[in-house]
Amino acid sequence: MKFRLLPAVAAALLCAPFAASAQGLFGQALTSQTTHDMPATCDNARFLADQQGLEQSGPTRIDLPEHLCGQVLAISPKAKRTRSGWHGYFYVSVGQGVSIRIVSDLDQMNAPQWPWVNKGDQVEVQGRYYYDSLRRQGVDWTHHGTSRKWRWPGYVVVNGTRYQ
């Protein structure tokens, strides 16, 4: 009897990763993509839940559409050149003592010379949340473009002025 049970247990263990992959992020069913479509309005609570889920599961190589609002806590006063062009960086408070780095592709955005955001400004950000590690996470793709892999155009609204 013991030997008949062993193959069944082994089969169940082998199939467990496939069963897990049939679930969406953090236990949500993947029957449709609506669970992770871009929110129509700011949804800091969803962002905080997504961030907490990624902190618990670790990097997943999955980027999430996020729509955030908050106050600018800090900015990088000088734009930095990366492999993909010039970028401006600032941090936004999203509640519960959490801030997130916002990455703006200055080559792609229709905006004045950097910095066009200041500490204390109220902002609304739509973009792609990436989580590489606890220290390497942020929201990028805040410009108007889309791609095969990213279908949502991004933007940043600063005190009512929209940059994309």
Side-chain angles (χ1 to χ4, degrees), residues 1 12 24 50 63 104 135 151 160 163:
M1 214 36 111
D50 288 345
D63 299 321
S104 297
R135 295 191 183 269
R151 63 183 176 154
Y163 303 110

Side-chain angles (χ1 to χ4, degrees), residues 3 12-13 18 41 44 57 81 87 89 91 94 103 112 126 146 159 162:
F3 296 107
L13 289 174
F18 298 113
T41 59
N44 290 4
S57 69
R81 182 147 182 80
H87 292 81
Y89 303 91
Y91 287 84
V94 291
V103 181
Q126 181 169 295
T146 60
N159 298 326
R162 184 174 175 135

Side-chain angles (χ1 to χ4, degrees), residues 28-88:
Q28 297 172 351
L30 279 181
T31 54
S32 73
Q33 260 191 311
T34 58
T35 57
H36 273 72
D37 277 345
M38 183 67 73
T41 59
C42 292
D43 194 346
N44 290 4
R46 182 179 110 167
F47 168 75
L48 291 168
D50 288 345
Q51 183 184 49
Q52 185 177 32
L54 288 170
E55 285 176 0
Q56 290 175 0
S57 69
T60 59
R61 297 189 183 260
I62 295 174
D63 299 321
L64 301 174
E66 299 290 351
H67 194 151
L68 313 166
C69 290
Q71 186 175 36
V72 175
L73 298 175
I75 63 164
S76 176
K78 294 186 178 183
K80 296 179 184 172
R81 182 147 182 80
T82 68
R83 288 179 292 151
S84 58
W86 287 97
H87 292 81

Side-chain angles (χ1 to χ4, degrees), residues 125-143:
V125 178
Q126 181 169 295
R128 175 180 71 175
Y129 175 49
Y130 64 91
Y131 183 92
D132 297 334
S133 72
L134 188 58
R135 295 191 183 269
R136 292 186 43 89
Q137 60 179 303
V139 177
D140 65 2
W141 213 276
T142 58
H143 58 280

Side-chain angles (χ1 to χ4, degrees), residues 21 23 57 66 76 95 108-109 111 113 119-120 159:
S21 68
Q23 293 292 309
S57 69
E66 299 290 351
S76 176
Q108 298 291 324
M109 295 185 82
Q113 187 162 349
K119 184 176 177 180
N159 298 326

Side-chain angles (χ1 to χ4, degrees), residues 69-72 117-124 157-161:
C69 290
Q71 186 175 36
V72 175
V117 64
N118 295 297
K119 184 176 177 180
D121 285 346
Q122 290 297 315
V123 295
E124 175 183 348
V157 177
V158 181
N159 298 326
T161 302

